[in-house]
Amino acid sequence: MVIPVHDVNPVRRTPWVTYALIVANVVVFLATPGVTGSVTGGGSLAQLCHLEAFTQHYALVPRELIHGRLPSLVPTGATGVGVQGPGCVLGPPTYQKSPVLSVLTSMFLHGSWLHLLGNMLFLFIFGNNVEDRMGRVRFLLFYVVCGYVAGYGFALLDADSSQPLIGASGAIAGVLGAYLVLYPRARVWVLVPFLIFLPLRLPAWIVLGFWFLLQAFYSAGEGVSDAGTVAYTAHVFGFVAGMLLALPLRPGTPPPPEPRGLLFGRRARTGW
């Protein structure tokens, strides 16, 4: 998988909404109970139980969203000792959870620094130009709508699952889809792992098209022995939603500047 680091596509105004979304995601991550222990791998049982309770409260759970069935027992955040040893205590929920609202709150939850930073990197590189083209208010609405499409799409295909879904990647996939529609010829600097990290400057349609094909491939269960904790299906739904919503804006979108020099290697010239 290529790692994008910069796009050759200047903006006309400061992307404040993109920056605000990044800050909000980082703040929520740092404020998540027990997240420090989960990141370092040295967390106590109490920290992990607090994290599990917090996630259950605010994450999207397909069974809750599609069937409206809230669990009678949830992690309370407390620890106890049962017949199988120490563990997290379950009890009746002490809060009122809105499954529909949980789609929104789940967009700001992340399970690790790698999960968070990977999502924020893509949002930082590609979100500014999409926001610049749409305008701040429309971009914020667009971001939320793509996140909801991704969340509902994932839940509909696994409606009986009680596994929480967290992360901004569904909404950010929508941003990538819109960027592909609006700026397919923009040049993107990427790092390609080939013995070493090889820097290349490639058209956006190659970078983002390849990314989408991988997500579609993995969402079909191909190429991976287990989907694990990555919601590839949500990425596919979000990406397609972003493309469709951006199509009306494609006419009149100014093309990105044509870079000089080679498209790869040290001789390529850019302005960053």
Side-chain angles (χ1 to χ4, degrees):
M1 183 60 189
V2 297
I3 303 173
V5 293
H6 177 70
D7 68 331
V8 188
N9 196 1
V11 295
R12 299 167 297 172
R13 49 194 168 189
T14 303
W16 291 117
V17 173
T18 298
Y19 293 161
L21 288 170
I22 293 173
V23 170
N25 277 277
V26 172
V27 169
V28 170
F29 179 76
L30 294 176
T32 300
V35 73
T36 303
S38 71
V39 170
T40 61
S44 65
L45 178 61
Q47 289 177 312
L48 295 178
C49 289
H50 276 102
L51 177 60
E52 187 176 345
F54 184 85
T55 301
Q56 182 67 40
H57 186 178
Y58 293 104
L60 184 164
V61 178
R63 185 169 59 183
E64 298 174 359
L65 183 62
I66 303 303
H67 300 300
R69 296 201 302 261
L70 298 178
S72 57
L73 295 176
V74 297
T76 64
T79 60
V81 180
V83 294
Q84 296 181 343
C88 299
V89 174
L90 300 180
T94 58
Y95 51 81
Q96 295 293 326
K97 180 178 181 179
S98 168
V100 175
L101 185 59
S102 71
V103 182
L104 178 63
T105 55
S106 68
M107 296 181 204
F108 295 90
L109 304 180
H110 292 84
S112 68
W113 275 111
L114 183 61
H115 187 200
L116 172 71
L117 295 178
N119 279 343
M120 295 306 101
L121 175 64
F122 276 80
L123 179 58
F124 178 77
I125 293 173
F126 299 106
N128 57 350
N129 291 105
V130 178
E131 178 183 343
D132 191 51
R133 181 66 181 92
M134 292 185 173
R136 293 175 181 136
V137 174
R138 282 199 297 179
F139 175 72
L140 180 59
L141 293 175
F142 164 85
Y143 182 90
V144 172
V145 168
C146 288
Y148 265 85
V149 171
Y152 267 93
F154 176 84
L156 284 170
L157 295 182
D158 199 7
D160 294 322
S161 172
S162 59
Q163 184 69 29
L165 175 68
I166 61 173
S169 53
I172 295 172
V175 174
L176 304 186
Y179 194 101
L180 178 61
V181 168
L182 298 174
Y183 305 104
R185 293 183 294 175
R187 305 298 178 177
V188 181
W189 276 101
V190 299
L191 296 177
V192 181
F194 183 75
L195 299 180
I196 59 173
F197 282 102
L198 180 66
L200 298 176
R201 194 172 70 194
L202 302 173
W205 68 267
I206 292 180
V207 177
L208 299 180
F210 178 67
W211 182 89
F212 176 72
L213 289 177
L214 277 180
Q215 308 310 302
F217 187 67
Y218 291 151
S219 69
E222 303 293 340
V224 288
S225 58
D226 185 1
T229 57
V230 180
Y232 297 109
T233 304
H235 299 173
V236 171
F237 275 99
F239 192 93
V240 173
M243 291 184 67
L244 295 177
L245 291 173
L247 278 175
L249 296 176
R250 183 170 183 177
T253 299
E258 188 66 29
R260 298 170 297 169
L262 300 176
L263 298 184
F264 55 87
R266 288 184 295 178
R267 290 181 56 195
R269 299 192 297 270
T270 65
W272 75 296

